Amino acid sequence: MVDRYDVVIAGAGPAGAQCARDLATRGYDVVVLETEPEDEFPRQSNKSTAGTFPSMMSSFGIPDDVVMSYTDDVVLESPNSHYKSYQPGAVLEFAEFKRFLVADGRENGAEYRFDSRVSRPILDEDGVIEGVRYNGDEEVYAEVVVDATGPAAPIASALDVVDLERENQAIGIEYEMEGVEMNHPEYADLRRAMMLRLDHDIAPGGYSWIFATGGDTAKVGICYIQNDRHREFAQEGQTVDGYLDAWVDRDPRFADAEVIDGKVHRGSAHIQMPDEMHTDRFLAIGDTVPSIDPLWGEGIHKGMKSARAAAATVDRCLTDSKRRLDAESLAVYERLWHRDVAPRMKSRLMLTRLLYLAPNERYDRFMRDLRKTEENTLEKANQGEKGAMAKLLHLDDIPLLAKFAREQLGS
Ligand SMILES: Cc1cc2nc3c(=O)[nH]c(=O)nc-3n(C[C@H](O)[C@H](O)[C@H](O)COP(=O)(O)OP(=O)(O)OC[C@H]3O[C@@H](n4cnc5c(N)ncnc54)[C@H](O)[C@@H]3O)c2cc1C
């Protein structure tokens, strides 16, 4: 008997599991294939700091039980300064969050197969996808296939839908720590904050972070892209783990802190302009399409939104009497993506590249400027609003802009 569903989803991350929730709620037969075994899930994929905002929690009905701590502020740090902005948020226990999405999807009728590593598409005689192969020679067929495997992207790559470039891969590592001095006299009060630090001595060409998880505990991490920017500021031979250890060794906030046993998370994502994200009977969602916020790495909400856009697209196509699932009919997904998931992606990427190009001294001035502008200037700039971006630039940034322009022309 042929194993057949309306939709098969590869990957039970936030995007895949949310897509399954949405489709199952609408009554579709959906199966999710996840490479990791269920009893340890998530293991390697337990990678995220999982800082998020109330809009994500309420839009997707995420319960309080998966929240480690609620925060009031977002703090930006530079080598010698900082800027605090009131922006309530939540730091999730990522593993519990993932398990909640799976359990809730199942309650609504989604089927899960763990220990199922998807390897490649099954194509019909016209070269159109009609299913996937997993664990060697096992097969499952569906009307629509969704790749939600994050940066692995085996189906999207085989179909030439996405091209995730190595030079755009951001790598991150994080410790969960206890004994952290969250209100150190020389720094901002981080007891109810998510803090991101721009400092090339700590994270060359990237950023580092401390997210409060309650009391004296925090998630402490660092991330950067291994590109020219990183190499310009990097120390010979230093690894991402080495950079994190060096920061923990010298920042006084960690003087009495220790890594909580077994609580080390690592992962990667691509910071690049998305190209295509669908073809006949196929959609790519979450980090399989580079949708992560280029500036601060917020990928969960974007992944969940792309999942919802994909589910709405499939629903629309399958509700239509002709049930057309060709690339043209599924193109509505890309329109929804550019409108709702990551609008103005190009400007936002530009801001990110410009920011990581700036030297440490410019970061200190950036904090002073932010204090002088209206509260939401950074938020608007991060949404790609050119007016807000202009407010954060100065005449003496011209050499920086020229360097940026040369890099763009050269790339
Ligand atoms: C260090 C770090 C910190 C981060 N911090 C934040 C943060 O604070 N806030 C935020 O919003 N975002 C953060 N992100 C980003 C966020 O975690 C991602 O954007 C999000 O997890 C993407 O979800 P996804 O479902 O697209 O992919 P993933 O989370 O990558 O999930 C993919 C799933 O597919 C499975 N899989 C992979 N290959 C296969 C295969 N061949 N077959 C079957 N299954 C497969 C994996 O096991 C996994 O379960 C962070 C990322 C990293 C690496």
Side-chain angles (χ1 to χ4, degrees):
M1 203 184 81
V2 179
D3 208 0
R4 183 173 287 284
Y5 290 82
D6 292 323
V7 184
V8 56
I9 300 173
Q18 180 55 42
C19 195
R21 270 176 103 197
D22 278 350
L23 286 165
T25 310
R26 285 169 161 102
Y28 291 104
D29 284 336
V30 51
V31 64
V32 183
L33 306 176
E34 164 60 44
T35 190
E36 295 188 354
E38 182 161 14
D39 52 356
E40 295 170 43
F41 180 76
R43 192 176 47 190
Q44 205 179 324
S45 69
N46 184 11
K47 61 183 179 183
S48 187
T49 316
T52 193
F53 296 99
S55 50
M56 190 291 274
M57 305 286 288
S58 54
S59 308
F60 294 96
I62 306 304
D64 290 342
D65 338 356
V66 303
V67 176
M68 292 176 90
S69 69
Y70 286 99
T71 53
D72 297 330
D73 303 303
V74 170
V75 174
L76 294 185
E77 270 186 18
S78 65
N80 303 296
S81 186
H82 72 263
Y83 165 75
K84 190 177 225 177
S85 158
Y86 172 71
Q87 206 177 340
V91 183
L92 308 184
E93 212 296 321
F94 190 59
E96 281 175 19
F97 168 59
K98 284 189 76 165
R99 287 193 288 264
F100 161 76
L101 293 175
V102 171
D104 194 66
R106 273 179 167 155
E107 250 170 57
N108 286 298
E111 191 182 316
Y112 273 83
R113 293 185 197 168
F114 286 87
D115 253 327
S116 301
R117 187 175 168 279
V118 174
S119 52
R120 57 197 169 92
I122 303 170
L123 305 178
D124 66 15
E125 62 273 17
D126 298 320
V128 173
I129 190 165
E130 56 176 355
V132 296
R133 197 150 280 146
Y134 69 101
N135 291 352
D137 57 359
E138 303 211 47
E139 296 182 333
V140 56
Y141 289 79
E143 299 293 311
V144 182
V145 173
V146 176
D147 192 340
T149 56
I155 307 296
S157 309
L159 296 175
D160 272 336
V161 169
V162 300
D163 181 16
L164 298 172
E165 293 155 14
R166 209 178 152 68
E167 76 227 40
N168 293 318
Q169 190 185 27
I171 45 172
I173 170 170
E174 167 183 279
Y175 297 148
E176 286 185 42
M177 302 190 77
E178 57 192 352
V180 182
E181 193 166 349
M182 298 298 284
N183 190 19
H184 191 283
E186 290 162 35
Y187 297 89
D189 182 354
L190 301 183
R191 284 174 296 183
R192 287 184 64 91
M194 298 193 229
M195 183 282 274
L196 297 152
R197 184 177 175 100
L198 290 164
D199 184 341
H200 296 298
D201 292 338
I202 293 170
Y207 58 88
S208 58
W209 64 87
I210 301 176
F211 281 18
T213 49
D216 66 355
T217 68
K219 295 186 179 182
V220 178
I222 158 171
C223 127
Y224 55 75
I225 306 175
Q226 263 166 320
N227 56 10
D228 289 350
R229 183 69 28 253
H230 169 73
R231 283 183 279 275
E232 181 181 335
F233 296 105
Q235 293 159 33
E236 186 87 23
Q238 185 64 294
T239 60
V240 66
D241 298 50
Y243 278 112
L244 179 55
D245 288 336
W247 182 34
V248 165
D249 280 347
R250 68 173 188 265
D251 189 311
R253 289 173 287 196
F254 307 123
D256 298 317
E258 279 183 12
V259 180
I260 301 171
D261 222 16
K263 298 285 186 181
V264 180
H265 312 294
R266 59 179 78 236
S268 73
H270 290 77
I271 311 285
Q272 67 183 62
M273 205 41 212
D275 192 11
E276 283 176 294
M277 47 193 91
H278 83 287
T279 184
D280 297 320
R281 296 176 62 175
F282 174 80
L283 299 167
I285 64 172
D287 278 1
T288 299
V289 180
S291 43
I292 197 163
D293 181 289
L295 201 50
W296 305 128
E298 194 200 347
I300 293 173
H301 197 181
K302 300 220 172 288
M304 310 272 285
K305 282 190 195 168
S306 72
R308 183 148 283 174
T313 303
V314 171
D315 189 29
R316 183 179 191 264
C317 292
L318 290 180
T319 307
D320 187 281
S321 58
K322 298 197 181 79
R323 290 173 68 94
R324 276 200 305 250
L325 293 161
D326 53 289
E328 199 185 331
S329 307
L330 290 175
V332 67
Y333 170 61
E334 293 209 10
R335 290 199 288 279
L336 291 174
W337 195 95
H338 285 290
R339 194 192 70 186
D340 302 337
V341 179
R344 290 185 273 209
M345 187 73 174
K346 218 172 180 167
S347 315
R348 291 162 59 235
L349 268 176
M350 192 184 95
L351 176 73
T352 309
R353 293 203 170 120
L354 196 57
L355 198 63
Y356 295 157
L357 198 65
N360 267 0
E361 312 78 66
R362 184 64 184 86
Y363 290 154
D364 288 335
R365 182 166 174 191
F366 180 54
M367 301 302 144
R368 287 199 297 277
D369 290 344
L370 282 172
R371 279 199 290 269
K372 277 191 269 166
T373 55
E374 309 100 74
E375 264 286 283
N376 57 356
T377 304
L378 181 65
E379 200 185 328
K380 283 190 183 158
N382 193 29
Q383 283 163 5
E385 280 192 27
K386 297 213 167 71
M389 285 158 80
K391 278 192 193 158
L392 298 173
L393 290 169
H394 293 271
L395 259 184
D396 52 10
D397 280 329
I398 286 172
L400 185 67
L401 289 165
K403 192 171 169 194
F404 173 70
R406 276 197 302 278
E407 286 205 348
Q408 295 304 294
L409 288 173
S411 67

